[in-house]
């Protein structure tokens, strides 16, 4: 029997809509995760728009909760929509809030990124912008596999189940890679 410790992952989805393809992709990642990994999903729906005047008075409770969840997690999994060739404002705003001092919680975190988009590029440009922020915040994103679910409107059924076998395989591979990556970086 392996004595490797379990890896806890915090999922963060950049879309708030109920029928979000990105949220559905995150659910698929939970479905296909390997043994030895747990995934919980953050609720970022109540995070206000960033305002430094508010921040200096203390983090709003939904931000404080997110910061604590990030700190406690061994790894992060971002579901990243593409809005106008960038990540969604919802995701950027949550990252901006959580990243503020003291003790910005992203530093050193192993992370994985997946995304679903209506366009043919599958959200590649949005994910690249997220990767830019990862550099500044000293996160350690997996480079591969890239999970770019293009024409997402054709890849999920009415219940939000991902029906595309290639995309499902990539998500399975991503989660397996994240387990190894988190163990390597976290020394677990
Ligand atoms: C403001 C806005 C901008 C968008 N820009 C892009 C884009 O640059 N590339 C793309 O492929 N899809 C774009 N879309 C379409 C989204 O990919 C599509 O709405 C997708 O379903 C959003 O993710 P969700 O299903 O998780 O909410 C955009 C949608 C919105 C609302």
């Amino acid at each position: 029997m392996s004595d490797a410790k379990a890896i806890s992952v915090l999922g963060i989805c950049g879309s708030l809509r109920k029928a979000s393809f990105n949220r559905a992709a995150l659910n698929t990642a939970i479905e296909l995760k390997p043994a030895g990994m747990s995934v919980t999903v953050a609720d970022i729906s109540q995070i206000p728009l960033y305002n430094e005047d508010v921040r200096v008075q203390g983090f709003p409770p939904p931000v404080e909760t997110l910061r604590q969840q990030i700190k406690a997690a061994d790894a992060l999994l971002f579901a990243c929509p593409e809005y106008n060739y960038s990540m969604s404002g919802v995701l950027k705003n949550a990252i901006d809030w959580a990243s503020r001092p003291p003790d910005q919680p992203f530093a050193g975190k192993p992370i994985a990124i997946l995304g679903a988009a209506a366009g043919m590029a599958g959200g590649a440009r949005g994910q690249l912008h997220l990767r830019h922020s990862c550099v500044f915040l000293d996160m350690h994103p997996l480079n591969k596999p890239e999970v770019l679910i293009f024409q997402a409107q054709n890849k999920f059924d009415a219940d939000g189940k991902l029906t595309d076998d290639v995309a499902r395989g990539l998500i399975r591979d991503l989660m397996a890679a994240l387990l190894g990556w988190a163990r390597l970086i976290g020394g677990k």
Side-chain angles (χ1 to χ4, degrees):
M1 211 170 94
S2 164
D3 58 359
K5 293 208 177 83
I7 293 296
S8 64
V9 177
L10 180 68
I12 301 176
C13 180
S15 173
L16 302 182
R17 74 185 187 97
K18 269 199 202 90
S20 161
F21 296 128
N22 284 279
R23 180 55 210 250
L26 191 52
N27 290 343
T28 307
I30 294 169
E31 178 196 336
L32 299 177
K33 68 182 165 52
M37 174 184 273
S38 64
V39 182
T40 56
V41 179
D43 177 7
I44 61 171
S45 65
Q46 302 306 310
I47 293 180
L49 287 176
Y50 188 82
N51 183 333
E52 182 71 6
D53 296 339
V54 174
R55 202 274 300 179
V56 294
Q57 292 168 36
F59 290 113
V63 175
E64 188 53 42
T65 299
L66 178 64
R67 282 168 56 86
Q68 293 307 326
Q69 288 179 308
I70 294 168
K71 271 182 205 162
D74 295 311
L76 306 178
L77 172 62
F78 288 105
C80 179
E82 181 172 270
Y83 278 10
N84 298 314
Y85 281 18
S86 188
M87 72 181 104
S88 65
V90 164
L91 181 56
K92 182 67 161 55
N93 185 60
I95 291 173
D96 290 343
W97 264 116
S99 70
R100 301 302 288 148
D103 304 325
Q104 77 90 348
F106 293 112
K109 289 285 173 194
I111 74 154
I113 299 170
L114 54 74
M120 284 301 290
R125 296 148 301 210
Q127 290 193 24
L128 203 50
H129 279 192
L130 173 55
R131 287 178 187 275
H132 285 185
S133 294
C134 291
V135 173
F136 180 64
L137 294 172
D138 198 20
M139 289 185 246
H140 301 304
L142 278 171
N143 291 327
K144 297 283 171 73
E146 292 179 297
V147 179
L148 302 161
I149 306 172
F150 58 96
Q151 294 193 315
Q153 63 279 12
N154 301 328
K155 307 267 167 70
F156 294 86
D157 70 15
D159 297 323
K161 182 179 164 62
L162 180 60
T163 53
D164 184 89
D165 285 339
V166 173
R168 290 180 70 84
L170 286 168
I171 291 176
R172 190 191 306 274
D173 291 350
L174 181 77
M175 298 306 280
L178 183 60
L179 182 72
W181 189 226
R183 286 202 169 129
L184 186 70
I185 290 178
K188 281 194 163 183

